Amino acid sequence: GVEGGVSVRAYFDDVIVYASEARCSDVDARSHLHDFAMAVEDERPDVLMLDCGFASNPRTITPAFIKDLRQRIGCRVVCLMRDCLNDNVAIAEEWITVADTLVVGDPKAAIYSDKYRDLHSTVLTLPTIPTERALYHGDEAPRDLPLTFIGSVFHPSRPMVLSALLTADVAFEAVFGDQRRDRTSTKEGYVDFLRRSRATLNVSVHSETERLVTARVWQSIACGTVLVEQENAGTASFFVP
């Protein structure tokens, strides 16, 4: 479609990105890669933007694959890496070799450490601010939910925080697992849940030393709910006068 005068086309295929989540034969995987390359060559975009938050392998797009593709069509390449932490900064290093720009969502991302100073000129921080104004700023919603949490509990830091709040004498509602799927399976349902919450919990801790600015920070703010999270220099940096 066309967004703000710019023609945008999205291409979704788990096989060529998160291969572990899409089971198929090697032959099928190569077919998916070929189809993607043909789609890009037919479109011939000025800028090719890629989700690069994954470790590449021969069944997925790789820096070498993208380097060859960009040479054939002469486009710029922008790599998006939402969660750039110490544990996966090597992935950012891999993709930045073929990127004109690496976009991260956190001004304190691991790639900004002095160790990677030579790469800083290629890195850009962009907050993931919601753009669907009608969805996030529609008719006023009742604030009939207390402090809430919605999300996965895969990361070990989350259950620790949730168990403390769920056993404390505080009005708190946590939605995860099957309940998350049932109550917020659509984007509209998810946003409605946030808009009805008086406050939204975001667990920013990802390790003993790392905090992360996630999309939920901006989604919560867009919904007008109070954001509650551990002290996070990354979030705070966006609000320095």
Side-chain angles (χ1 to χ4, degrees), residues 188-208:
E188 290 76 14
Y190 171 75
V191 172
D192 180 67
F193 183 85
L194 291 181
R195 294 186 69 206
R196 290 171 54 198
S197 302
R198 291 195 287 275
T200 299
L201 173 68
N202 178 59
V203 181
S204 64
V205 170
H206 277 67
S207 74
E208 291 184 5

Side-chain angles (χ1 to χ4, degrees), residues 122-139:
T122 309
V123 185
L124 174 67
T125 298
L126 284 179
T128 51
I129 298 174
T131 58
E132 296 117 314
R133 184 170 296 275
L135 180 62
Y136 283 85
H137 304 284
D139 296 334

Side-chain angles (χ1 to χ4, degrees), residues 17-29:
V17 180
Y18 296 104
S20 62
E21 299 180 12
R23 294 186 178 182
C24 67
S25 68
D26 289 346
V27 172
D28 285 341

Side-chain angles (χ1 to χ4, degrees), residues 43-55:
E43 192 73 23
R44 303 193 75 83
D46 294 320
V47 180
L48 177 63
M49 302 184 71
L50 304 166
D51 177 359
C52 298
F54 65 96

